[in-house]
Amino acid sequence: MSNLIPNPMKILKLFLVSCFLMSTSFVWAENYGLYFNGSSNRVGVQDSPELNPESGMTIEAWINVEEWAGSIWGANILSKQATGPDRGYGLTVGENGRIEFNHSINEGWNAVQTPPILGLNSWYHIAAVYDLNTMKIYVNGILQATANATGTPTLAHGQAINLGDNPTWPGRFFKGKMDEVRVWDVVRSESQIQEFMMTELEGDEEGLVAYWNMNEGSGNTINDVSGNENHGTLLGMSDDNWVDGFAPPGTDIGIEGIASPSIIGTGFTSSEYIKIDVKNFATNDVHEFDIFYSINDGDPVSESIQESILAFQSKIIAFSEPVDLSGYEEIELKVWVEKEGDGNPINDMLVETISQSTQIMLYDNVLHNFGSAGQTHFRTLYMPEDLSGYKNITLTLDLHCPTGGCDPWDQPGMLYIQKDNLSWEIARYITPYGVACGGWSFDLTDFKPIMQGKTIFESIIRVWGASGWLVEMELILEPGEPENHVNKIDRLWNEDYWVYGDPDISYEFDPVEVTILDDTDIAFVRMTMTGHGQGNTLNAAEFSRFTHHLHVNDTEAFEMDLWNDDCNENPCSPQSGTWQYSRAGWCPGQDVQPWFFNLAEHISPGESLNLHFVLAEYTNLLNSGYNNTTHTEPHYRIHAYLVQYSSDEDDDEDPTSVEHIMQDELKTSIVAKPNPSAGVFHISSNKANIQRISVYGMTGRIGLTQVFDNADSFTLNMSHYPNGIYFLKVETNSGIETLRLILNK
């Protein structure tokens, strides 16, 4: 993924293109395009030899998207993809404005993807280039993303091209307008793309193998103006689908969202600052603009802004004076932006009804599938800028079956936060075999530093069927003074596909050097890890048991016995398939809770710490012939973070201290059996209904939290934690009780 902040050369190029945009005339004799409705419209083009370039290619198109597909591959601009083996190429768009160019190389898909930079209802020129070594994507003539892709193209001879859908996986419809689509069997340079992207071609340009300028304006055919007779047939369209062709605005600034007041909170205050998220959707930099707001259709408040927003960038702008909202439980807030020369008024205004709550439905039964809904769904949430007033942040998760039933396979599901161009996995689970499941909860308090302000959530299920899952996720923030304060969270290792057992791939993750802050009292490694793949030596990595190690300052300090042997006790059962079998750190239909490695004996405030994770040695003697059914490549998903906390030294009494908890234990009505335990505790209450539990180590909270619906008993599995003394904090309908647990495996 390319950096969104241009370097000096890119700024110069951006300026030149901007000047060209503003000075170019778009007055052509005819300028039509096609509108695709996102559900049934497409254009079909029969295959021909020239549509299978062997020595490099370029695809160009003008697009104006009306609605984003859930997945980056969910809306096809142009596709000539086939399978068995993977063959061909495609250009797609989705996921809040991301673009993907994919090409089969050596019979496998390779892709380059942009960040979410496009806006809705605005014209963009997209160019995709492959030179047999590198794949590139340009937007309005400016390079936005590159990826290495060396190899031999796998050509899709005999496969038709579709505009607006996929010929092999139908249902990936494009919704919006399209114009000036070109296919070249040569590699176009950046200067060539910029020079001709707004010029109607003659059709005889060198290397041009297909050119649909869509200027017919009626009928059911788009002619190939290149002379190669690769004419397209309109399918599911009528004359109503002919629309005006591209006319890109030189300036397009709009509103992305309302950053403040947040929908998260305990009520409006007398000093609220209205803040809006303003985005520059065009190629020209923006330097001056006006912003406005009104509350409940009252008098508008306006300010003139003298700030620069670069191309495709966004910035949160605050009004200078606060407003008193203390008497309101709910407001209708209208915000808008004005800029002279703005060519796209559709995104200039936003109206939202805002009321505050500490329980936010993040995903309300959102369909995740391999069909039109997509595997991936984004949600932008404008969190409070200061979360220090919340004790805990919890995510609850349930999976429901869509009409026609749930997906029949166990697949990984993840929730990420996208922040500052980095991806943070904050929760992981595995779907069950074809039945609804859930009741899971994840303690996300450790992630406070990256959950403040504008936060983009990304929910993914790697489901490969059209049925999929309905995902329900709720974010719960508990107001109050936390026992300890999160200082910082650092990314250590973030790998979704670390191949295991290949002699050419290391068993060791790169060491990471981190600094312990001066006021850090508690530090631990939070690591989520699961093994996948089967049909290999020892049936790795899903069905084989290995012990891996975490090294601290070049010393082996912790071990991880990555194995779940209680899958047959899964309450999300009965299922079909092999749900009862033990697995490497997970079970079908189960949440994947992180491991916590307490670094209390290894840290010194103000000094650095070296962390190094090493896998057990293993060689897969069947390291070829993967077919993704009976024989899939062994690999691990591992996401690890270093979390640092400071204690509140001003408190007279720490509710998580050993002395405090042991005193309260004498008054508890909560019983744990057996205690000591080898890992599994059966917890019951003989007086009160259990609503929430948290587990603490000797130095503070270790992150294990569960929420219940007034339960009188439950099972607590701590077999993943090291031996020692732990403290169970139980919140009931009659108060808070504590209990000491002794883990002795």
Side-chain angles (χ1 to χ4, degrees):
M1 184 177 294
S2 63
N3 195 323
L4 290 180
I5 301 176
N7 58 32
M9 283 303 296
K10 181 176 282 189
I11 292 175
L12 176 60
K13 294 175 182 176
L14 197 65
F15 173 75
L16 294 174
V17 173
S18 299
C19 294
F20 188 71
L21 275 167
M22 292 184 285
S23 63
T24 302
S25 172
F26 301 102
V27 180
W28 294 344
E30 301 288 350
N31 182 20
Y32 292 102
L34 280 174
Y35 173 75
F36 297 78
N37 65 8
S39 60
S40 60
N41 297 162
R42 66 189 188 279
V43 175
V45 181
Q46 293 298 316
D47 185 36
S48 66
E50 60 268 18
L51 295 176
N52 298 280
E54 298 185 29
S55 56
M57 71 176 304
T58 303
I59 302 172
E60 296 181 71
W62 279 95
I63 64 169
N64 184 319
V65 183
E66 185 176 306
E67 182 179 296
W68 299 125
S71 298
I72 195 171
W73 40 259
N76 285 238
I77 301 170
L78 180 149
S79 178
K80 194 179 191 295
Q81 291 180 302
T83 189
D86 296 334
R87 298 173 287 131
Y89 51 84
L91 184 61
T92 65
V93 66
E95 288 185 5
N96 285 357
R98 301 181 69 198
I99 310 157
E100 178 180 277
F101 172 41
N102 52 70
H103 203 304
S104 179
I105 302 168
N106 300 331
E107 299 187 354
W109 295 118
N110 283 247
V112 58
Q113 302 172 333
T114 73
I117 58 176
L118 303 187
L120 295 173
N121 303 300
S122 191
W123 282 103
Y124 296 96
H125 180 268
I126 312 299
V129 177
Y130 176 49
D131 63 6
L132 304 190
N133 292 298
T134 306
M135 303 177 71
K136 301 178 181 180
I137 295 177
Y138 297 84
V139 178
N140 290 354
I142 304 300
L143 181 64
Q144 297 295 330
T146 63
N148 294 328
T150 302
T152 303
T154 312
L155 307 178
H157 289 294
Q159 178 63 63
I161 282 182
N162 271 188
L163 308 184
D165 192 17
N166 191 292
T168 298
W169 297 285
R172 301 181 182 184
F173 291 109
F174 175 89
K175 187 169 186 178
K177 303 172 187 176
M178 197 180 303
D179 194 9
E180 285 286 315
V181 181
R182 308 164 180 176
V183 180
W184 307 75
D185 67 0
V186 294
V187 176
R188 301 279 285 174
S189 68
E190 184 176 89
S191 61
Q192 288 174 320
I193 292 170
Q194 292 176 0
E195 182 179 0
F196 293 97
M197 67 184 187
M198 284 178 290
T199 301
E200 192 168 54
L201 303 180
E202 296 294 331
D204 58 357
E205 287 79 2
E206 182 180 356
L208 187 64
V209 296
Y211 175 31
W212 303 285
N213 62 19
M214 300 184 182
N215 284 343
E216 290 78 11
S218 63
N220 63 355
T221 300
I222 55 173
N223 294 310
D224 175 13
V225 189
S226 75
N228 290 315
E229 298 187 356
N230 294 307
H231 307 308
T233 301
L234 279 58
L235 303 171
M237 292 184 170
S238 67
D239 279 354
D240 292 338
N241 293 91
W242 290 99
V243 294
D244 291 336
F246 82 93
T251 300
D252 182 9
I253 186 171
I255 303 293
E256 281 236 291
I258 297 174
S260 178
S262 172
I263 63 173
I264 296 174
T266 55
F268 298 126
T269 70
S270 60
S271 183
E272 297 280 358
Y273 283 87
I274 307 300
K275 300 179 182 180
I276 58 177
D277 192 3
V278 181
K279 181 168 181 175
N280 179 6
F281 291 100
T283 310
N284 301 330
D285 293 350
V286 173
H287 304 288
E288 299 177 5
F289 50 93
D290 297 321
I291 57 175
F292 304 80
Y293 78 83
S294 68
I295 297 173
N296 297 334
D297 280 331
D299 294 335
V301 177
S302 65
E303 289 192 20
S304 294
I305 305 299
Q306 309 290 319
E307 292 192 34
S308 295
I309 304 181
L310 301 181
F312 306 128
Q313 298 293 291
S314 62
K315 183 177 290 188
I316 292 178
I317 307 291
F319 285 82
S320 58
E321 296 295 327
V323 59
D324 184 358
L325 297 180
S326 57
Y328 296 94
E329 293 186 359
E330 180 180 278
I331 62 169
E332 182 183 82
L333 182 59
K334 180 190 297 183
V335 298
W336 66 100
V337 61
E338 292 183 0
K339 168 70 176 174
E340 185 177 354
D342 189 333
N344 179 24
I346 295 177
N347 55 27
D348 290 350
M349 179 178 291
L350 181 64
V351 181
E352 286 188 1
T353 299
I354 301 175
S355 60
Q356 291 196 326
S357 174
T358 56
Q359 296 187 208
I360 302 298
M361 189 62 70
L362 195 59
Y363 293 94
D364 189 3
N365 286 307
V366 176
L367 178 61
H368 293 55
N369 68 4
F370 194 60
S372 58
Q375 298 173 319
T376 305
H377 293 269
F378 288 87
R379 168 81 188 276
T380 298
L381 196 60
Y382 295 92
M383 305 279 287
E385 295 179 355
D386 182 5
L387 293 172
S388 62
Y390 294 93
K391 290 182 180 180
N392 300 293
I393 302 177
T394 303
L395 176 79
T396 62
L397 171 61
D398 291 281
L399 298 178
H400 304 286
C401 294
T403 303
C406 286
D407 185 80
W409 293 104
D410 51 337
Q411 302 289 1
M414 292 77 63
L415 181 66
Y416 296 90
I417 285 177
Q418 305 294 342
K419 199 81 165 185
D420 299 326
N421 293 329
L422 294 175
S423 181
W424 305 69
E425 186 192 87
I426 62 174
R428 188 185 312 172
Y429 57 96
I430 309 295
T431 64
Y433 287 96
V435 297
C437 198
W440 305 321
S441 65
F442 301 85
D443 189 338
L444 304 184
T445 311
D446 296 337
F447 296 100
K448 273 186 182 182
I450 65 164
M451 294 180 71
Q452 301 178 128
K454 183 178 180 179
T455 305
I456 301 175
F457 293 90
E458 179 184 14
S459 174
I460 302 175
I461 301 181
R462 293 299 183 208
V463 57
W464 303 106
S467 52
W469 303 91
L470 297 174
V471 176
E472 181 181 321
M473 292 185 186
E474 187 172 23
L475 207 58
I476 302 172
L477 292 85
E478 180 184 357
E481 184 68 20
E483 290 90 357
N484 300 291
H485 300 275
V486 189
N487 278 344
K488 189 181 182 185
I489 182 167
D490 291 290
R491 287 159 41 100
L492 299 176
W493 307 286
N494 292 268
E495 302 288 344
D496 284 321
Y497 201 97
W498 188 275
V499 175
Y500 189 43
D502 186 332
D504 294 329
I505 297 176
S506 176
Y507 297 111
E508 302 184 16
F509 290 76
D510 291 339
V512 179
E513 194 87 10
V514 292
T515 299
I516 302 301
L517 302 181
D518 290 337
D519 58 346
T520 290
D521 300 302
I522 302 167
F524 53 84
V525 172
R526 176 185 179 124
M527 182 183 298
T528 306
M529 185 170 177
T530 53
H532 306 272
Q534 74 281 329
N536 310 295
T537 303
L538 301 181
N539 219 4
E542 179 176 340
F543 295 107
S544 56
R545 184 173 188 172
F546 293 101
T547 299
H548 312 297
H549 293 88
L550 177 64
H551 295 242
V552 182
N553 292 334
D554 298 322
T555 300
E556 185 179 296
F558 302 97
E559 67 176 29
M560 172 190 282
D561 180 16
L562 191 65
W563 195 239
N564 277 26
D565 58 5
D566 60 350
C567 292
N568 60 339
E569 300 175 12
N570 189 343
C572 182
S573 300
Q575 305 174 33
S576 58
T578 59
W579 63 272
Q580 308 99 323
Y581 294 1
S582 302
R583 285 172 166 84
W586 61 276
C587 298
Q590 193 176 89
D591 51 332
V592 181
Q593 293 294 339
W595 292 64
F596 294 87
F597 300 107
N598 190 341
L599 300 174
E601 299 178 2
H602 304 275
I603 64 171
S604 296
E607 297 186 4
S608 62
L609 192 72
N610 184 278
L611 298 170
H612 187 196
F613 190 66
V614 181
L615 301 175
E617 291 192 8
Y618 158 76
T619 300
N620 180 19
L621 301 178
L622 304 172
N623 194 30
S624 64
Y626 302 113
N627 56 20
N628 292 319
T629 54
T630 58
H631 182 36
T632 58
E633 190 169 36
H635 63 278
Y636 285 115
R637 292 180 180 271
I638 174 171
H639 287 255
Y641 308 100
L642 174 69
V643 189
Q644 301 185 52
Y645 277 79
S646 63
S647 60
D648 190 345
E649 297 179 355
D650 295 332
D651 288 348
D652 295 331
E653 186 177 37
D654 181 0
T656 67
S657 67
V658 175
E659 294 81 3
H660 182 82
I661 292 181
M662 292 184 69
Q663 291 174 7
D664 280 358
E665 184 180 357
L666 300 175
K667 302 178 288 184
T668 187
S669 64
I670 306 298
V671 177
K673 294 182 180 181
N675 192 11
S677 169
V680 178
F681 297 88
H682 298 285
I683 313 296
S684 61
S685 172
N686 53 27
K687 294 182 181 179
N689 292 324
I690 300 169
Q691 297 175 338
R692 177 190 175 96
I693 65 102
S694 300
V695 178
Y696 296 83
M698 294 293 288
T699 58
R701 185 183 59 83
I702 66 171
L704 180 57
T705 299
Q706 282 184 260
V707 178
F708 300 90
D709 185 13
N710 291 321
D712 56 11
S713 64
F714 67 95
T715 298
L716 177 63
N717 187 348
M718 295 183 60
S719 57
H720 295 160
Y721 294 91
N723 290 341
I725 298 175
Y726 296 84
F727 301 95
L728 180 68
K729 176 183 174 183
V730 183
E731 299 177 34
T732 71
N733 60 345
S734 61
I736 298 177
E737 302 187 22
T738 54
L739 183 69
R740 180 173 61 176
L741 303 176
I742 301 175
L743 183 60
N744 186 14
K745 295 183 283 186

